[in-house]
Amino acid sequence: MTSVNVKLLYHYVITNLFNLCFFPLTAIVAGKAYRLTIDDLHHLYYSYLQHNLITIAPLFAFTVFGSVLYIATRPKPVYLVEYSCYLPPTHCRSSISKVMDIFYQVRKADPSRNGTCDDSSWLDFLRKIQERSGLGDETHGPEGLLQVPPRKTFAAAREETEQVIIGALENLFKNTNVNPKDIGILVVNSSMFNPTPSLSAMVVNTFKLRSNVRSFNLGGMGCSAGVIAIDLAKDLLHVHKNTYALVVSTENTTYNIYAGDNRSMMVSNCLFRVGGAAILLSNKPGDRRRSKYELVHTVRTHTGADDKSFRCVQQGDDENGKIGVSLSKDITDVAGRTVKKNIATLGPLILPLSEKLLFFVTFMGKKLFKDKIKHYYVPDFKLAIDHFCIHAGGRAVIDVLEKNLALAPIDVEASRSTLHRFGNTSSSSIWYELAYIEAKGRMKKGNKVWQIALGSGFKCNSAVWVALNNVKASTNSPWEHCIDRYPVKIDSDSGKSETRVQNGRS
């Protein structure tokens, strides 16, 4: 406890060092100015200012010009007006036993098996993964796969994606009262399902967006594509003034469920579920008052130049020609290395001076005394960030980041709860997590939230937002009817839910 208090005192002194020095100095100057007489001012003018007017005037003009130029050219703020997470209908809820039945039916319906599915070893393998995954019994599966026999068709896949995107957008437009024709920028990301016409074209057609809308469709970029889409929209908003940008993040499960025997490709079946989010951004000054957040930083890290990083998550054919996504054994190491590089870039942007100083001292100490100092100082990101939204890719992802960032259980509560309630919804998971924090009533004015997303390639992308007000849960929030049942206590060994902790909205 003493060491914690000393560190907090150190952090306070270093962070407020300027103020601690400035105010006494101001008091001294004010005291001296108070004792000045009219004769002293005349003497100052005639003895110095009058003789140096040629130097002072250009300096003053240069200062004014520089200030005006900075104000005119600096990027305009990007505001998050509102967002909406899709909540599938209750008849799509899929318990673990129901998911296992889906796997069985999909394999049985595979033409190469002639309607039989005798080998039970794969079923035991999937059941073990499913039970240890951290997912609960109220996640959602696609309607096509819930049918018997399952519809693993292109049409069923299109229906799933259209339901998710249209459902999220209808709720977003309803909550904001924004006319779809006012949208100037549209970015849609879906990694594994990219039909023609594109999903962005489907949005334009469904909601009758204007003909000069700048639309983009991002494909194949993995679970971190949501932050990439936000970053792209941000750059476009810096160029195109006084407009709205619409970002839609989703993934398709119908078309990408794996029915083969390669175990490295079976894992994704156990984690991914139906979900999506729509986000409305604005650069209009008048939208600041009604917006929830302002975008502070986006940092993107891509380690695809390394072969292990590039191949650790890869779509391809198995031994029998069935398409699936394989996860290599290197994925944990690759993810850890990529996250460290992303943090190394983001840290200097957000960490207070006290943490930067401690890291620099230990960094130099390790260079000079390699034997005595074994590890670099791990900065305390909780001094700069109030809330964390870690991509709910699985228990292992959350565990690693919780450990590496020295986070407390409450810091990863939103991620674990999202994984349990909705599963891995790919690039949209960070928005379900933000909705969780809001539903708990924890987002206060001035709070900063850090969204961390990981994806194939391999990529780690971060977005940092600051709350402009005390943020309340949106209408029709995905947590509206279940927030009081979370967090759920998960057995650390089996991954099963044990008991529900009633902590309401505190």
Side-chain angles (χ1 to χ4, degrees):
M1 183 61 72
T2 303
S3 61
V4 173
N5 292 333
V6 169
K7 185 174 181 180
L8 289 175
L9 178 62
Y10 159 78
H11 169 69
Y12 177 82
V13 171
I14 297 297
T15 303
N16 297 280
L17 185 61
F18 176 79
N19 292 336
L20 294 174
C21 297
F22 176 75
F23 286 116
L25 183 63
T26 302
I28 294 172
V29 173
K32 289 187 175 291
Y34 179 76
R35 290 192 291 270
L36 289 176
T37 63
I38 297 296
D39 293 335
D40 294 330
L41 295 176
H42 278 289
H43 177 72
L44 177 65
Y45 175 77
Y46 287 111
S47 63
Y48 181 75
L49 295 179
Q50 189 177 37
H51 297 291
N52 294 277
L53 196 59
I54 296 177
T55 304
I56 294 173
L59 183 62
F60 177 75
F62 179 78
T63 303
V64 172
F65 175 77
S67 301
V68 172
L69 184 65
Y70 170 75
I71 294 172
T73 59
R74 68 176 179 175
K76 300 298 181 184
V78 173
Y79 304 115
L80 194 163
V81 180
E82 182 60 277
Y83 66 96
S84 173
C85 297
Y86 177 68
L87 180 62
T90 54
H91 67 264
C92 289
R93 285 187 182 174
S94 303
S95 63
I96 291 178
S97 60
K98 194 171 185 178
V99 170
M100 295 305 300
D101 185 58
I102 290 174
F103 296 158
Y104 179 82
Q105 294 295 339
V106 168
R107 288 171 66 89
K108 185 178 179 180
D110 184 34
S112 65
R113 301 183 187 277
N114 297 318
T116 62
C117 193
D118 297 330
D119 184 12
S120 61
S121 62
W122 65 270
L123 198 61
D124 294 333
F125 172 75
L126 288 177
R127 183 178 288 108
K128 288 179 181 178
I129 294 178
Q130 192 72 62
E131 291 177 346
R132 297 175 182 178
S133 64
L135 276 69
D137 285 328
E138 294 185 334
T139 60
H140 299 89
E143 291 193 25
L145 297 183
L146 293 173
Q147 298 175 11
V148 179
R151 290 176 58 224
K152 190 178 180 292
T153 63
F154 190 89
R158 185 189 288 274
E159 288 173 11
E160 177 200 339
T161 298
E162 288 182 354
Q163 287 173 3
V164 172
I165 292 178
I166 293 173
L169 285 174
E170 285 180 344
N171 189 54
L172 179 67
F173 288 133
K174 181 180 179 181
N175 288 346
T176 58
N177 292 320
V178 169
N179 189 331
K181 292 187 180 296
D182 292 335
I183 303 298
I185 298 164
L186 171 65
V187 184
V188 178
N189 70 269
S190 174
S191 183
M192 305 294 288
F193 183 67
N194 292 283
T196 299
S198 66
L199 297 178
S200 60
M202 182 272 292
V203 172
V204 172
N205 175 261
T206 303
F207 293 93
K208 309 306 176 188
L209 272 59
R210 64 197 197 202
S211 60
N212 64 343
V213 64
R214 296 166 180 85
S215 63
F216 301 84
N217 204 94
L218 306 181
M221 304 194 79
C223 297
S224 67
V227 176
I228 296 174
I230 293 292
D231 185 56
L232 174 58
K234 177 200 72 174
D235 291 341
L236 291 168
L237 285 171
H238 285 165
V239 176
H240 304 284
K241 307 301 181 184
N242 202 40
T243 190
Y244 288 112
L246 187 62
V247 175
V248 182
S249 297
T250 189
E251 191 52 271
N252 187 279
T253 55
T254 301
Y255 208 58
N256 298 291
I257 191 167
Y258 176 66
D261 300 315
N262 188 315
R263 294 195 173 188
S264 69
M265 292 182 171
M266 290 182 184
V267 177
S268 59
N269 286 353
C270 300
L271 299 175
F272 286 93
R273 297 291 189 272
V274 174
I279 304 97
L280 182 66
L281 304 176
S282 173
N283 58 11
K284 299 181 180 182
D287 280 328
R288 179 183 176 87
R289 294 188 64 181
R290 70 165 181 156
S291 296
K292 287 186 170 184
Y293 305 94
E294 180 181 337
L295 184 58
V296 182
H297 298 292
T298 53
V299 172
R300 292 166 55 181
T301 303
H302 201 314
T303 59
D306 176 70
D307 289 341
K308 285 186 178 180
S309 296
F310 178 71
R311 294 190 176 94
C312 68
V313 181
Q314 194 165 29
Q315 185 182 29
D317 296 324
D318 67 5
E319 300 80 5
N320 299 313
K322 293 182 174 60
I323 298 176
V325 177
S326 63
L327 306 178
S328 77
K329 296 179 180 179
D330 300 318
I331 188 170
T332 304
D333 294 336
V334 168
R337 186 159 26 92
T338 309
V339 168
K340 286 180 181 178
K341 289 186 177 182
N342 186 267
I343 291 174
T345 305
L346 181 65
L349 298 176
I350 63 173
L351 286 171
L353 180 61
S354 58
E355 291 299 290
K356 295 177 186 177
L357 185 60
L358 281 175
F359 179 80
F360 176 76
V361 170
T362 57
F363 177 81
M364 295 304 298
K366 185 170 175 57
K367 291 289 184 183
L368 297 174
F369 309 101
K370 295 182 180 180
D371 297 332
K372 295 183 179 180
I373 301 178
K374 296 182 179 180
H375 302 287
Y376 292 115
Y377 172 72
V378 178
D380 186 356
F381 280 90
K382 288 183 285 187
L383 293 173
I385 299 294
D386 301 285
H387 307 285
F388 298 82
C389 295
I390 300 169
H391 167 55
R395 284 182 65 201
V397 173
I398 300 171
D399 290 344
V400 168
L401 285 174
E402 180 183 12
K403 180 180 178 181
N404 290 347
L405 295 176
L407 301 179
I410 194 172
D411 296 321
V412 295
E413 181 184 305
S415 300
R416 295 196 189 280
S417 297
T418 296
L419 181 65
H420 184 272
R421 177 65 179 84
F422 297 101
N424 181 352
T425 61
S426 190
S427 56
S428 64
S429 67
I430 54 178
W431 298 104
Y432 287 89
E433 293 162 18
L434 186 58
Y436 178 90
I437 297 169
E438 293 176 0
K440 284 292 184 183
R442 296 172 182 168
M443 190 64 70
K444 306 302 181 184
K445 183 177 181 179
N447 281 182
K448 288 184 179 179
V449 57
W450 179 8
Q451 293 178 318
I452 314 169
L454 304 171
S456 59
F458 195 85
K459 300 179 288 293
C460 177
N461 301 316
S462 294
V464 178
W465 306 84
V466 60
L468 299 176
N469 302 287
N470 294 338
V471 182
K472 297 180 181 179
S474 304
T475 304
N476 296 325
S477 164
W479 298 95
E480 195 169 57
H481 303 295
C482 63
I483 189 63
D484 293 328
R485 303 203 310 268
Y486 283 86
V488 171
K489 186 177 180 182
I490 304 293
D491 184 272
S492 58
D493 296 321
S494 68
K496 296 180 180 178
S497 308
E498 287 185 338
T499 56
R500 301 188 188 277
V501 181
Q502 302 283 344
N503 69 340
R505 299 176 182 269
S506 59

